[in-house]
Amino acid sequence: MDSFTSFLCLCSIIFQSVSLIDAQASLCRTTCGDIPINYPFGIDDGCGSPYYRHMLVCSDLGNLYLRTPSGRYPVHSISYSDPHILVTDPLMWNCRDGDHFRPTRPFSLDTSTPFTLSSQNDYLFFNCSEDYVIVEPKPIFCERFPDRCDSSCDSASYLCRHLPECADALSASSCCSYYPKATESLRLMLRYCASYTSVYWKTVGSTTNSPYSQVPEYGIRVDFDVPVTTHCLQCQDPSKGSGTCGFDTQTHIFLCLCKEGNVTSYCKGHDISRHKRAGVIAGTVTGISAAGAIGIGIGIWVVKKVRAKAPVTCGVQSNENRIF
């Protein structure tokens, strides 16, 4: 392949890169199904906060999943005002199971992420072996001193006596309530119990002071932190261009994703062409230098002056450009 052919191939790659840059701002989807996807989350690489990279997955059918070390779990909803995600585990016990228990797995979170299991979760365990698990009603003083009662599984808990949605689902099986302090304790409980389920307390109404302001529902509440930064607030500011908070997928450096390109601060009032960076969205090429633009102009002049002596193959080996 001669120098002129190589130049034409380079020009082709540069033109493709320019078109990819123009499309980057539209690559950050804001919904998955009917669930809004806002900062700090992103379902497209380079969108949102790097602390939550690859945590949420949106399927082709528009179903949202949370990825954890123990599997992928359907996301029921996301709250950004009271930051938490509600997920379901299809393997957990539900009302339809009754006294029939299916093999399950302990739910776990990556401790290196800003996710935490909410204290509003309660865990119910069924048919536990009393040879290995302390199953007994908790004394009244446990309500005031819960730390003194961690070792027992409460067989007289409110939720065991009033299973949400199906109070009489269990007829011949035992139930007790226990809050595991870590994934390991949950795993140990499941070694000696037939199954378990998670119940979270859902806040209803406008006040939390009423004794009826919370109702139990099946699911797992996962709390998260919103890493708010000055850069992101400036980027999202409507007076400064309403950009989308993102990051460089190679360096994790903050980027404000704008329609015209990407900058390290905010969209409006910046010469965005001077701040374009490489690797913002995985699989795209974004590094276009001023020298490249000048090269394109020179290339147009060369095309008019030089006649190609070999077919243009752009890297495809043929009998004309074979190197050995």
Side-chain angles (χ1 to χ4, degrees), residues 60-75:
D60 294 337
L61 298 177
N63 298 317
L64 188 63
Y65 296 90
L66 173 67
R67 297 175 60 183
T68 81
S70 54
R72 297 198 338 175
Y73 299 88
V75 175

Side-chain angles (χ1 to χ4, degrees), residues 7-318:
F7 175 79
L8 289 180
C9 292
L10 176 61
C11 289
S12 174
I13 293 174
I14 291 175
F15 280 122
Q16 292 175 16
S17 302
V18 172
S19 64
L20 287 170
I21 288 177
D22 294 337
Q24 283 177 8
S26 63
L27 286 179
C28 293
R29 288 171 287 175
T30 57
T31 60
C32 178
D34 58 356
I35 300 178
I37 306 298
N38 301 329
Y39 185 84
F41 298 121
I43 51 179
D44 301 294
D45 203 9
C47 303
S49 168
Y51 295 110
Y52 295 99
R53 186 181 185 184
H54 302 318
M55 294 295 177
L56 295 181
V57 180
C58 187
S59 71
D60 294 337
L61 298 177
N63 298 317
L64 188 63
Y65 296 90
L66 173 67
R67 297 175 60 183
T68 81
S70 54
R72 297 198 338 175
Y73 299 88
V75 175
H76 181 266
S77 64
I78 300 178
S79 171
Y80 296 93
S81 57
D82 176 20
H84 69 271
I85 298 177
L86 294 178
V87 301
T88 58
D89 183 356
L91 295 181
M92 282 185 176
W93 180 91
N94 59 62
C95 289
R96 294 186 299 273
D97 292 335
D99 292 311
H100 302 284
F101 303 107
R102 296 166 289 119
T104 187
R105 62 191 173 190
F107 178 85
S108 66
L109 292 172
D110 186 346
T111 56
S112 66
T113 66
F115 285 127
T116 56
L117 281 175
S118 173
S119 58
Q120 296 185 31
N121 294 326
D122 276 325
Y123 298 88
L124 303 180
F125 295 84
F126 307 103
N127 278 7
C128 297
S129 171
E130 297 191 18
D131 293 335
Y132 299 96
V133 179
I134 301 175
V135 180
E136 60 185 20
K138 284 189 178 182
I140 296 178
F141 76 84
C142 290
E143 296 180 3
R144 296 184 59 189
F145 307 100
D147 293 340
R148 300 182 184 180
C149 306
D150 283 346
S151 61
S152 63
C153 192
D154 184 10
S155 59
S157 71
Y158 171 85
L159 290 176
C160 280
R161 291 181 287 109
H162 304 87
L163 288 170
E165 304 172 14
C166 52
D168 301 323
L170 298 177
S171 58
S173 302
S174 64
C175 169
C176 63
S177 176
Y178 175 77
Y179 185 82
K181 296 297 183 181
T183 300
E184 184 60 30
S185 59
L186 176 57
R187 187 178 295 111
L188 286 173
M189 287 290 289
L190 282 179
R191 182 181 299 177
Y192 304 115
C193 301
S195 186
Y196 85 119
T197 192
S198 174
V199 177
Y200 72 94
W201 291 90
K202 178 181 178 181
T203 301
V204 295
S206 57
T207 176
T208 58
N209 296 325
S210 169
Y212 304 103
S213 62
Q214 292 184 320
V215 296
E217 290 191 5
Y218 293 106
I220 306 171
R221 171 172 166 147
V222 178
D223 293 337
F224 64 87
D225 296 324
V226 181
V228 178
T229 64
T230 302
H231 286 307
C232 185
L233 292 175
Q234 288 183 340
C235 174
Q236 294 175 326
D237 190 343
S239 66
K240 296 186 177 182
S242 297
T244 300
C245 298
F247 59 93
D248 187 308
T249 58
Q250 296 178 3
T251 65
H252 287 188
I253 294 175
F254 172 82
L255 287 179
C256 185
L257 309 184
C258 312
K259 293 181 180 179
E260 296 81 7
N262 308 312
V263 296
T264 55
S265 51
Y266 51 89
C267 302
K268 191 175 181 180
H270 281 72
D271 183 3
I272 293 179
S273 63
R274 296 174 58 189
H275 295 280
K276 288 169 182 171
R277 301 180 58 87
V280 178
I281 304 297
T284 66
V285 181
T286 63
I288 306 298
S289 65
I294 295 173
I296 293 175
I298 296 174
I300 295 175
W301 179 83
V302 171
V303 169
K304 295 180 179 179
K305 299 295 183 179
V306 181
R307 182 177 63 185
K309 296 182 179 181
V312 177
T313 60
C314 288
V316 179
Q317 187 168 271
S318 66

